[in-house]
Amino acid sequence: MELYIKYMVSLRCKMMVKKELKKLGLKYVVVELGMVEILEDITTELREQLKKNLLKSGLELLDDKKSILIERIKNVIFEMIHYTDELPKENYSDFISDKLGYDYTYLANTFSEVKGITIQQFIIINKIEKVKELLLYDELNLKEISYKLHYSSAAHLSNQFKKVTGLSPSFYKQLKKKRQNNLENM
């Protein structure tokens, strides 16, 4: 049986879910971002208890099909951008469609209807979050980051970064350094 969980986007979330499943005596096969596969069907009471326990940790057990599909789309995007070393070479729409087994137009329409933004906008927001993370690590320059995240150029990445954050990548990096220096000097 598969259960879908909203806001489950990190390794820490996976650990919390495993802990809650263990507490309730539920044996799982797989715990992935946003999804848990357990061995047996669970009773309504046990499901409600799991739902309550997850809510205490800021996670939400999903029931309706649209919400489940949206979470699956978001989790494919999170994994694609934040948890793999190499973004897929194929078109993102083809990748998402293949991964979920649905027509991309259906996925895109459902996502936009529920979230109020397009899948493409959601991907851009997540790519910019990844850029922020990579800028803070200070291991790659902007050109290397743009190559890693499949931007056509560092200038394109820089323009998109500024459009989303209101700051240039270099100014963002300076702000972080200033903040870090201020903390060190306290």
Side-chain angles (χ1 to χ4, degrees), residues 34-180:
M35 193 274 291
V36 174
E37 188 177 335
I38 57 174
L39 290 173
E40 69 276 352
D41 286 339
I42 60 174
T43 64
T44 306
E45 295 81 24
L46 206 50
R47 186 181 180 88
E48 283 305 309
Q49 188 59 51
L50 178 61
K51 194 174 192 170
K52 282 182 191 173
N53 293 356
L54 291 174
L55 270 174
K56 290 176 188 173
S57 302
L59 303 173
E60 186 179 328
L61 190 58
L62 297 174
D63 295 319
D64 77 277
K65 290 183 181 200
K66 269 190 182 177
S67 295
I68 290 169
L69 183 59
I70 297 306
E71 281 308 301
R72 289 181 67 202
I73 294 168
K74 287 169 50 179
N75 287 323
V76 166
I77 293 168
F78 284 136
E79 281 187 41
M80 176 178 75
I81 294 171
H82 298 284
Y83 296 106
T84 57
D85 290 332
E86 185 68 32
L87 290 178
K89 300 277 189 243
E90 66 187 307
N91 195 333
Y92 295 148
S93 57
D94 293 338
F95 178 80
I96 294 167
S97 182
D98 291 346
K99 196 89 164 151
L100 296 175
Y102 286 95
D103 175 66
Y104 184 75
T105 303
Y106 171 72
L107 294 173
N109 290 339
T110 304
F111 192 88
S112 295
E113 177 189 321
V114 173
K115 297 301 288 175
I117 62 171
T118 66
I119 289 177
Q120 187 60 36
Q121 289 168 319
F122 189 76
I123 290 171
I124 289 168
I125 290 166
N126 276 277
K127 284 175 78 172
I128 295 303
E129 287 304 311
K130 182 68 175 181
V131 171
K132 288 178 182 178
E133 181 184 317
L134 293 170
L135 286 171
L136 294 179
Y137 287 149
D138 208 20
E139 294 172 0
L140 303 173
N141 63 37
L142 199 58
K143 186 176 180 180
E144 293 167 328
I145 293 171
S146 68
Y147 178 78
K148 180 179 179 69
L149 296 178
H150 295 227
Y151 281 92
S152 57
S153 66
H156 178 226
L157 166 57
S158 188
N159 287 336
Q160 200 168 71
F161 190 93
K162 188 164 186 155
K163 196 176 193 179
V164 171
T165 66
L167 307 169
S168 69
S170 56
F171 189 73
Y172 176 80
K173 204 170 176 176
Q174 287 174 357
L175 280 178
K176 284 296 187 181
K177 284 183 180 175
K178 281 182 185 177
R179 207 173 293 140
Q180 194 173 18

Side-chain angles (χ1 to χ4, degrees), residues 176-186:
K176 284 296 187 181
K177 284 183 180 175
K178 281 182 185 177
R179 207 173 293 140
Q180 194 173 18
N181 287 340
N182 288 342
L183 288 173
E184 288 172 1
N185 292 330
M186 287 185 135

